[in-house]
Amino acid sequence: MQPDPRTNLNNELAQLLNNRIVEPDYKREITITFRVSSAEKTRLEQRCSGVVQSDYIRARLFDYPLPHPKLVIPEVNRQAIYELKKIGNNLNQQTRAINEAVKIGSQPLSSNVKEYLQTIKELAVLLEQTHASLSQPISDEE
């Protein structure tokens, strides 16, 4: 008995659908838009929970791993982080200038200079710790 060509085609199609993993194409040049109801939009936003909507839809549609939610940092923390980075840059510039002056001999490496450099290092560590604590995601429990 000869197999039905439609059965073979159906089996191939079913197998393709079961193995529908699409390799990510990193040159995303095509835009697709579609309409949803307000209820669907609300549901999509709830399901995304911090993940970019296009990434969420792509992950669900093409069986990619779901990306990690984006970090939500309060505005006050963002401003503090900005200021901390400026302070950190200033400390790095001071350290570089002192080390360069010592290197070329225009500044002796006295105990005061060593103490100042140590203080700058300690401040840099404190800045990093503060930056890390301000960058923590907001928990839903608070």
Side-chain angles (χ1 to χ4, degrees):
M1 186 177 205
Q2 199 78 12
D4 184 7
R6 288 183 300 186
T7 304
N8 286 342
L9 186 60
N10 286 341
N11 289 341
E12 286 178 36
L13 184 59
Q15 188 175 9
L16 282 172
L17 288 174
N18 286 337
N19 300 324
R20 66 180 183 177
I21 296 176
V22 177
E23 291 300 316
D25 182 4
Y26 295 103
K27 287 179 76 177
R28 295 187 172 121
E29 300 167 336
I30 300 169
T31 301
I32 298 175
T33 58
F34 60 97
R35 295 182 183 273
V36 293
S37 68
S38 342
E40 290 170 329
K41 184 177 186 319
T42 301
R43 187 172 175 196
L44 177 62
E45 288 169 348
Q46 289 170 344
R47 287 192 174 191
C48 286
S49 63
V51 174
V52 176
Q53 285 183 7
S54 58
D55 291 342
Y56 176 82
I57 292 169
R58 229 181 265 111
R60 298 298 298 206
L61 182 63
F62 299 120
D63 295 326
Y64 297 159
L66 198 58
H68 296 289
K70 60 185 174 188
L71 190 62
V72 178
I73 300 174
E75 179 58 36
V76 68
N77 286 13
R78 274 189 254 145
Q79 186 61 35
I81 289 169
Y82 174 76
E83 295 299 330
L84 288 173
K85 285 182 179 181
K86 283 177 27 179
I87 293 168
N89 286 338
N90 288 339
L91 290 176
N92 286 336
Q93 289 171 359
Q94 289 177 22
T95 303
R96 248 183 265 118
I98 291 170
N99 286 330
E100 188 62 32
V102 168
K103 191 166 141 184
I104 63 173
S106 66
Q107 170 71 51
L109 188 55
S110 65
S111 61
N112 287 345
V113 172
K114 286 181 184 179
E115 188 178 316
Y116 185 71
L117 286 171
Q118 183 58 36
T119 302
I120 289 177
K121 286 179 186 174
E122 291 168 6
L123 283 172
V125 169
L126 284 172
L127 284 172
E128 285 298 317
Q129 291 170 347
T130 306
H131 180 273
S133 71
L134 290 175
S135 299
Q136 294 297 314
I138 299 172
S139 69
D140 293 334
E141 297 168 3
E142 292 179 11

